[in-house]
Every structure is written in structure tokens, then in C-alpha cells.
Amino acid sequence: MKRIFLILALAATAGFIAAQDAEPSEALLTQMSRLEADAIDIRGLALDVPVKRVFPSRDDVVTFVAGQLDDLETQQYYRDAGLVYEAFDLLEPGTDIVAVLQELLVAQIGGYYDPETKQMNTLLITGDELTDRLPLLEQIVYVHEFTHALQDANFDMQAFFGGEDDLAFSTQYPDEAQARLALVEGDATEVMTAYTLMLSTERPAEILQEMDALMGLVSTLEIPPGTPKILEQELTFPYLQGQVFVQRLVAEGGWELVNEAFRNPPVSTEHIINPSKYLSGDMPHKVEVMDVSTTLGTGWEEHFSRTAGEFFVRRYLETQLDAFSVARAAGGWGGDTYRFYVNAESHAAAWVWKLSWDSTADATQFYEAMLRFMAQRYPTAVPEFSLCWSGSADTMCMAQPTPDTVVITKAPLREQASSMRDAAANN
């Protein structure tokens, strides 16, 4: 899976312009060189080899995105992700996640940098043809994408995401991969923001001239209706929360501290959500949870054993709890591991999840929030002393085996969920 660094237009409009056949003029190339110089000046990173500038059409981008998602391994990666999302109530059963992603990306890409070809792909969003200058929004987008070129030249983005097989890295370490992406996109978003502020100071007339049109476009910005919430959140988190993370680093130690973060990356989304934990060197707990597949019966195979992370914990809690309760319950996350199982015949899923907390108080707070979570998810279920809740399609069980850990299980049958919980809690 080749990782492409893109910026989202986030506009549910007609999208960018369909055809851009004209060769860029010298005036346009000069403007783009100035944009690159501004980005270099803001970010303080050098670029020894110039990037190639290309201007794809909408049809080009449709073909490009389809090509990115056409690889069988990539499709399997996303379908596996869809299975997990479904099993954790984050996606409606039967959702074709590959098709949803393709539609979402085609509609939303505002520009992208391809580290394999070293190409800057500039899309016209607000204009109707290639002229002697990029409109304001495209200038801002270009600065964002050129920042990715600077990152690639100085920190090697392929190596940063696991080398040749970044798909394997993202599969085994999804939380860490999300944290790294948040650093990358947060960095580019902060440079883009700094450039916009610089424009408003140095070239206010240019800003004023185009601001009305830009604000009119901004007023229409939204994710396309019907996009699953988890995909929207995963898409926007690196830009929004990533920028907050980078802003904290810049405030603490300037851009050099951001450079240091590329050399010593955040290892969890907890670091992105709580930058002070990254800055203090607070690392996630290593959490061991035993393989409980034998308690499920025959036909079950383990698909994953990996960390979910604070971002995922928050998204899961949001399926039943209000935002304030989610923030309180997830805030003391210390680490976790979940094992995910699939039955080859029935295609049913089951999981066991062990979470570690920073303190006993944090664990108890999460445990109590999960009691409310269960009451919401299983409104007609009356839990017995065993702390299992059953619905028409599945059962969930819970335990607090130590003062600072909580175990949760989910399976099609009550005896399965209960046996999984007991086995994991006692080991």
C-alpha cells in the first residue's frame, strides 16, 4: 500500500475542475516557486531536489484513487478493518468500506504529494481553468502539500511508516500508525495556517480580494452525507488533533522540537490527544492478554492481537455515552491489547479486550462508565452477578481483575463471552 499525503477539500460540492490540459505559464511557475520558498522559510527545512509539479484532472484523480484501492492486499486490509469496526459497533454490518472510502476520497481530495514519484499534484478547486496564478485556496493547499515534500526529503516518509511494507506496519500497529500520521498532517496543517496568517499580514489586499469567495466556499464545507462516523473521524483526526499536537511542540521548543518528534515519533494516539504525555516521556503500558480461542469452540481463528489505543477507545465509548462521559472515562488510558477472532464458517466475530489504566481511580471511572455503556447497549438485559449482558445477537461480559485493569469480552453466545472473560481475567 503506497501512502499518499493529501489534503482534504472537505467540500460536498461539484469538486475540483474536470480538465486541466494547458501547460503552466512562467508566471504560474514563479508563483509556485514563491509558495515553496514561503513554506521552506516557515518550516525551516531544506529541499535539495525540486519536486515535479503536475495538474491532474478530476478523471485523473478518480483513476488514481481507484488504483490505490485496487490492490488485493489493500482491499483485504480495509475489509479486515471493516470487520473490526462492525464488531465494535462502529460500522453498520455489510458496509462496503472500500467503496465508501473511494467515494469519500474522490470527493474530498484537494491536493496530494506522492512520495514515490516526488510529484506535487495540484487540483483546481475554486477556479475554472489553469491561469497565471493559483487562487487563494489552492495556494494554501499547495503550501500544505509542499510541506509533505519537505518532510519526505528530511525524514524519509516511507521509512517513517514502516518501510516497504507499510501495510503490515499499519495492520499490526494501527494506533501507532495513526499517531505518526497525526504528526505528519498536523505539521503540514500548522505550516499552512502560519502561511495564511503571514499572507494576511504581508499581502492583506490579496486576502481581502479573494476572501468573500473563499468564505463562501468554506460555508459549504462538510463530509458527504451518509459517511460512517468512524471514517470521518479517522480522516479528520490527523489534521485537527495533529495540529493541536504540533502547536504544543512548537510552543515548547519551536520547530526543532517538531523535527525531534519525527526522529522520536509519538507511539500512540494518547500522545496526540495528550501532548504533555509525549513531552514527559509517558509511554503506554505493555498489556498482555491470553489467547482465549479455545473457549470459543471449533472453527474460530485469531485475526488480530494488537493495541486499540485511546482514539479507538473514545470512538467506541461514543457509541453509547455522551461526550463528557467519554472524555472522563478515556482520559486515564494507560494501554490495552485486544484479540479479535472470526469463525470461518459462520463469519461471526468475537473479541477479548484488556485495558490498563494510569491509576486505580482511572480504572474504576472507566469501569463505572462501562456499566452505563452496557445499560444503554442492552436496555432490556438484567445483568446477573456474573456481569454479562445479552441481546438477541451477542453477549458482552466484563471484569476488573486488578485495581488498574478492566477486561471486556464480546461473543455470539453467553457461555462464550463469559468463558473468554474468566480466562482472560484469571491470567
Side-chain angles (χ1 to χ4, degrees):
M1 180 176 70
K2 183 173 66 174
R3 187 175 293 275
I4 304 299
F5 301 102
L6 53 84
I7 186 169
L8 308 178
L10 299 181
T13 60
F16 43 84
I17 303 311
Q20 302 175 52
D21 297 328
E23 287 293 319
S25 67
E26 285 300 318
L28 178 58
L29 294 176
T30 297
Q31 183 201 29
M32 297 175 82
S33 293
R34 189 178 74 231
L35 294 173
E36 293 173 2
D38 287 338
I40 289 171
D41 185 59
I42 291 168
R43 187 60 181 83
L45 294 174
L47 184 69
D48 295 332
V49 179
V51 295
K52 182 179 179 181
R53 303 157 180 164
V54 294
F55 301 85
S57 69
R58 181 177 181 81
D59 289 342
D60 292 333
V61 173
V62 171
T63 301
F64 172 78
V65 171
Q68 295 302 299
L69 297 175
D70 195 41
D71 176 74
L72 293 179
E73 281 188 293
T74 300
Q75 290 187 2
Q76 189 59 51
Y77 168 81
Y78 284 117
R79 291 196 176 107
D80 284 343
L83 286 176
V84 174
Y85 292 153
E86 288 181 18
F88 281 87
D89 303 335
L90 294 168
L91 200 65
E92 288 294 323
T95 301
D96 186 341
I97 191 171
V98 174
V100 171
L101 280 170
Q102 180 167 334
E103 181 180 357
L104 178 61
L105 292 177
V106 167
Q108 301 305 298
I109 291 179
Y112 57 96
Y113 168 71
D114 186 341
E116 186 171 288
T117 62
K118 312 301 180 186
Q119 288 184 349
M120 291 285 298
N121 294 266
T122 301
L123 314 176
L124 290 180
I125 305 166
T126 58
D128 55 7
E129 62 181 15
L130 203 60
T131 66
D132 287 344
R133 64 185 297 278
L134 292 179
L136 178 59
L137 180 58
E138 282 83 344
Q139 293 177 47
I140 295 170
V141 167
Y142 191 86
V143 168
H144 179 110
E145 289 307 305
F146 185 73
T147 303
H148 290 320
L150 295 176
Q151 294 166 342
D152 190 27
N154 287 271
F155 306 114
D156 187 352
M157 289 296 94
Q158 184 179 65
F160 188 74
F161 285 101
E164 289 288 340
D165 197 354
D166 63 339
L167 191 65
F169 180 80
S170 295
T171 298
Q172 186 58 41
Y173 308 105
D175 185 51
E176 183 173 355
Q178 181 80 332
R180 291 187 177 214
L181 183 59
L183 169 61
V184 168
E185 293 297 354
D187 179 18
T189 303
E190 180 61 11
V191 172
M192 175 182 75
T193 302
Y195 169 74
T196 306
L197 292 174
M198 183 192 76
L199 269 189
S200 66
T201 301
E202 295 184 358
R203 302 199 286 274
E206 180 179 348
I207 291 284
L208 290 174
Q209 183 179 1
E210 300 190 44
M211 188 55 71
D212 285 346
L214 182 58
M215 292 307 294
L217 178 67
V218 169
S219 68
T220 69
L221 299 187
E222 61 176 20
I223 294 288
T227 300
K229 188 175 181 181
I230 182 59
L231 298 185
E232 175 184 343
Q233 291 168 322
E234 283 201 336
L235 204 60
T236 58
F237 175 84
Y239 300 88
L240 302 178
Q241 194 63 45
Q243 184 181 15
V244 174
F245 175 75
V246 169
Q247 286 174 335
R248 177 66 183 277
L249 298 190
V250 172
E252 294 286 338
W255 286 108
E256 181 50 42
L257 189 54
V258 180
N259 295 342
E260 181 59 28
F262 277 94
R263 292 186 284 266
N264 295 284
V267 299
S268 73
T269 52
E270 178 195 39
H271 284 161
I272 304 301
I273 297 167
N274 307 285
S276 60
K277 294 199 173 186
Y278 171 78
L279 291 168
S280 68
D282 184 341
M283 302 298 286
H285 307 163
K286 184 177 181 180
V287 178
E288 301 284 352
V289 59
M290 69 173 293
D291 180 2
V292 295
S293 56
T294 57
T295 67
L296 288 166
T298 59
W300 290 86
E301 294 182 355
E302 182 177 280
H303 262 41
F304 303 114
S305 175
R306 60 190 187 184
T307 297
E310 185 172 342
F311 171 83
F312 190 93
V313 171
R314 287 172 178 259
R315 303 294 79 80
Y316 184 56
L317 291 174
E318 284 174 355
T319 64
Q320 304 297 333
L321 301 177
D322 62 87
F324 177 74
S325 297
V326 168
R328 289 188 75 243
W333 181 89
D336 74 68
T337 296
Y338 73 90
R339 289 180 181 266
F340 187 82
Y341 304 95
V342 175
N343 187 286
E345 279 190 26
S346 66
H347 303 292
W351 49 260
V352 54
W353 195 10
K354 188 174 184 179
L355 303 101
S356 177
W357 299 89
D358 288 336
S359 69
T360 299
D362 290 323
T364 300
Q365 191 165 266
F366 174 77
Y367 183 84
E368 291 173 349
M370 283 303 301
L371 292 176
R372 299 193 299 274
F373 179 102
M374 298 296 189
Q376 286 287 110
R377 193 181 187 282
Y378 300 95
T380 61
V382 179
E384 301 172 2
F385 180 74
S386 62
L387 286 178
C388 290
W389 293 258
S390 296
S392 59
D394 53 57
T395 292
M396 291 183 68
C397 297
M398 186 167 63
Q400 189 173 359
T402 69
D404 58 357
T405 61
V406 176
V407 170
I408 309 168
T409 60
K410 180 183 176 185
L413 302 176
R414 185 184 185 89
E415 55 267 32
Q416 291 172 324
S418 177
S419 297
M420 292 167 68
R421 186 269 319 270
D422 292 345
N426 292 325
N427 287 272

